[in-house]
Amino acid sequence: MRAWIYHGNQDVRLEDVPEPVPGPGEVRVRIAYNGICGSDLHEIFNGPMFIPLETVHPTTGHHGPIVLGHEASGIVDAVGPGEIDIEVGQRVAIEPVFRVPGDDAHYNLNAAFYGLSANGFLADCAVVPRRAVHVLPDEVSLIDGALSEPISVAWRAVERAALGVDDSVVVFGGGPIGIAAALSLRAKGINKFVVVEPARRRRIVVSEMGFETLDPSATDFQENLTSFVGSGVQACVNAAGVAPVMKQAIDVLAPGGKLMVVATHVEPVSIDLNQLLMAEKTILTSIGYRDDFPSVIEQQARGAFPTSSWVETVRFDALVETGLTRLRTGEAIKTLIEVNGG
């Protein structure tokens, strides 16, 4: 079968590899679509950071070149021996967490991921445990199913912020996670929020989705932000991952407000703890997802996460020259690689 394999920094090759066979408690999924994540770009162009090329991964046992991809949907085409409550032909989204046995209560913490710590889903087929696949209802397409993973990241962050419908929010970042956070807020009945995003194309897309946007590079940005914030917002979502956002977010929080950090940061960030202390402001964090796929897929079935304006598909064999290039240049917001379609 075909597979995109990572061999090192900027060395990704399309190769032919043996088709995997499911063992007890496992299913094989014929991959339909696989999304490209920011972590994939970091790994390909700045890594290896997490992929165990030189060492053996302590959880998965993987060592060496790896099949990329961790945001996928597909169709079950084989099941392993034993009692498995899923059938060949069912459409599924894959939750790409390689779980540590006995750690179900906090399985998203220190988790290993397919595509980074074990062979992933940028291939014709993949074998995963039964618990890693979530059956898609008829209302959720395979394209949408490949987005259940990144949407779950944002959904969990908004859930952990524990906001009320009358709360005001500033979302920093209009990329895939920021967009998914905005859609999650709207799905929860929260409508007073603004998305701060410097890239013009992203602001246009977010605006067309019905959300208010602000350009942090504009001369009147601070004035406009202050006008929206007033005496302070109840929460901020940091989906940008750049240092200045932390200070901006803390500044605009009302006393007792919450800053939810969902973006990873490449460099350490310095903040004034007294600014938090004197106003009892709180910094919260959210990593990945934990039992969030069912809720997200339910919301997708209800139409809460429209994708046509910010998601594009690219042919499997055009991953490097088209998919990765358009993401790096900012021409694309979210790219799904069409592996086998459906």
Side-chain angles (χ1 to χ4, degrees):
M1 69 175 187
R2 304 169 303 163
W4 279 104
I5 299 180
Y6 177 89
H7 287 267
N9 187 281
Q10 301 186 53
D11 185 2
V12 180
R13 310 174 197 172
L14 181 57
E15 300 180 12
D16 187 60
V17 299
E19 191 170 90
V21 177
E26 294 180 329
V27 300
R28 187 174 67 206
V29 179
R30 183 171 177 80
I31 304 299
Y33 296 93
N34 185 96
I36 303 302
C37 176
S39 62
D40 295 320
L41 293 179
H42 286 307
E43 202 70 22
I44 291 169
F45 294 103
N46 303 303
M49 293 178 286
F50 300 107
I51 292 177
L53 289 181
E54 303 298 333
T55 60
V56 176
H57 193 279
T59 300
T60 68
H62 187 91
H63 170 229
I66 204 167
V67 179
L68 293 168
H70 64 273
E71 302 177 356
S73 66
I75 299 173
V76 175
D77 76 346
V79 298
E83 295 290 331
I84 298 180
D85 62 335
I86 199 165
E87 298 177 357
V88 170
Q90 288 189 292
R91 301 157 57 255
V92 296
I94 306 177
E95 184 172 354
V97 177
F98 198 102
R99 298 197 192 190
V100 177
D103 192 29
D104 287 349
H106 304 94
Y107 72 84
N108 62 314
L109 305 181
N110 300 312
F113 286 85
Y114 290 92
L116 292 170
S117 309
N119 283 327
F121 312 137
L122 268 170
D124 283 318
C125 293
V127 167
V128 294
R130 161 63 184 94
R131 71 192 307 175
V133 297
H134 300 266
V135 177
L136 297 173
D138 293 341
E139 299 85 353
V140 179
S141 70
L142 285 167
I143 286 179
D144 289 338
L147 295 161
S148 298
E149 197 271 354
I151 292 172
S152 292
V153 172
W155 179 266
R156 174 173 169 76
V158 172
E159 282 269 279
R160 280 180 53 76
L163 303 173
V165 294
D166 295 324
D167 287 344
S168 56
V169 184
V170 177
V171 177
F172 288 92
I177 300 302
I179 289 174
L183 291 169
S184 296
L185 289 168
R186 187 164 68 184
K188 292 178 177 295
I190 301 167
N191 293 302
K192 187 180 179 183
F193 61 87
V194 65
V195 178
V196 177
E197 169 56 49
R200 181 175 179 273
R201 168 159 166 67
R202 289 184 174 187
R203 287 197 311 277
I204 290 173
V205 169
V206 172
S207 296
E208 290 175 347
M209 297 175 74
F211 302 132
E212 183 178 353
T213 65
L214 291 176
D215 177 4
S217 64
T219 55
D220 59 353
F221 166 67
Q222 201 58 53
E223 177 184 344
N224 291 334
L225 182 62
T226 300
S227 176
F228 173 84
V229 167
S231 59
V233 294
Q234 283 70 53
C236 292
V237 177
N238 179 358
V242 292
V245 163
M246 289 297 288
K247 183 180 187 307
Q248 289 176 331
I250 293 171
D251 284 344
V252 301
L253 286 176
K258 294 174 282 191
L259 167 56
M260 170 55 68
V261 179
V262 65
T264 56
H265 290 69
V266 177
E267 300 290 341
V269 176
S270 176
I271 59 174
D272 181 0
L273 287 177
N274 286 329
Q275 189 180 7
L276 298 173
L277 176 67
M278 301 308 291
E280 293 189 340
K281 300 178 181 181
T282 303
I283 295 180
L284 302 170
T285 61
S286 181
I287 182 68
Y289 28 79
R290 190 191 306 161
D291 300 319
D292 295 291
F293 268 63
S295 296
V296 165
I297 291 171
E298 180 181 349
Q299 291 293 330
Q300 288 178 299
R302 294 176 178 175
F305 292 98
T307 60
S308 59
S309 62
W310 57 284
V311 177
E312 65 176 41
T313 61
V314 169
R315 297 190 331 270
F316 185 73
D317 60 359
L319 166 70
V320 175
E321 65 266 30
T322 303
L324 299 182
T325 298
R326 285 180 57 79
L327 286 171
R328 289 194 83 196
T329 59
E331 296 174 80
I333 296 176
K334 184 64 181 180
T335 296
L336 300 184
I337 303 302
E338 184 176 353
V339 184
N340 292 292

